[in-house]
Structure formats: C-alpha cells, structure tokens
Amino acid sequence: MRIIWRDKSMISYDPFYQTLFKQGRTEYDLIFHHGISSNTLYRMKQGKPITTTTLDTLCFVLNCNVSDIINYIPDETNDISVKITKINDNH
C-alpha cells in the first residue's frame, strides 16, 4: 500500500512583484534585457508553476533570494487529504 499526501496549498508570486517595484524594474526590462520569457511572466500572473531553473534565473537577474520571488501559503483549513492506493507486489 502506498500513501500519497496531497495538501491544498499554493505558491504566491506576490513577493516577485514587490521585489520588482522596490528595485524599480519592470516586466518589460526582464523580457527585453534579460531574456525572461513573456510566457513565464504570464504563468506567474496566473499563479501557475514555474521551473526551479526559472526561479534560479530570476534570483540571479534580480540579485535576490527565493523568498523575494515566491511565498508558500498553506491552506487555511489545514485539511490534508490522503489518497491511498494499493500496489500489487507480484514477484
């Protein structure tokens, strides 16, 4: 039997936009001067996942920490659902 934990949490990109503002940078600057994909920025605006490579690149370009780009927000209900699947162990 295998237990897979799935929690209702999310990653927020609000710190990214705060960092941009504090540094006086724009998305235009990231796209046209640093080669950040406009699709990546669109995904971030939609709250969709980005790769750790992209996260690393943003930290490099903005000279900041990961916490200046993303923030983990746990589910307020603290409800963790568990999915249990039975695995057939045929040897």
Side-chain angles (χ1 to χ4, degrees):
M1 191 175 297
R2 178 172 54 167
I3 299 174
I4 302 170
W5 295 91
R6 293 188 61 132
D7 62 345
K8 299 175 184 177
S9 60
M10 67 176 276
I11 299 293
S12 168
Y13 297 106
D14 287 344
F16 166 73
Y17 294 102
Q18 294 168 4
T19 300
L20 278 183
F21 179 76
K22 287 177 189 174
Q23 293 188 8
R25 310 286 280 278
T26 63
E27 290 181 345
Y28 178 91
D29 175 54
L30 296 179
I31 294 167
F32 292 103
H33 297 124
H34 298 285
I36 303 296
S37 164
S38 60
N39 185 50
T40 294
L41 298 176
Y42 175 79
R43 292 180 61 78
M44 291 172 72
K45 276 189 179 176
Q46 301 300 313
K48 295 184 179 180
I50 60 172
T51 66
T52 53
T53 302
T54 299
L55 189 55
D56 178 63
T57 301
L58 289 171
C59 288
F60 175 78
V61 168
L62 297 173
N63 191 30
C64 67
N65 294 313
V66 172
S67 61
D68 296 320
I69 305 290
I70 61 174
N71 185 30
Y72 171 74
I73 302 173
D75 179 28
E76 292 177 7
T77 65
N78 293 324
D79 180 25
I80 298 176
S81 60
V82 178
K83 178 181 178 184
I84 301 176
T85 57
K86 187 172 184 178
I87 297 181
N88 190 359
D89 290 325
N90 292 335
H91 295 282

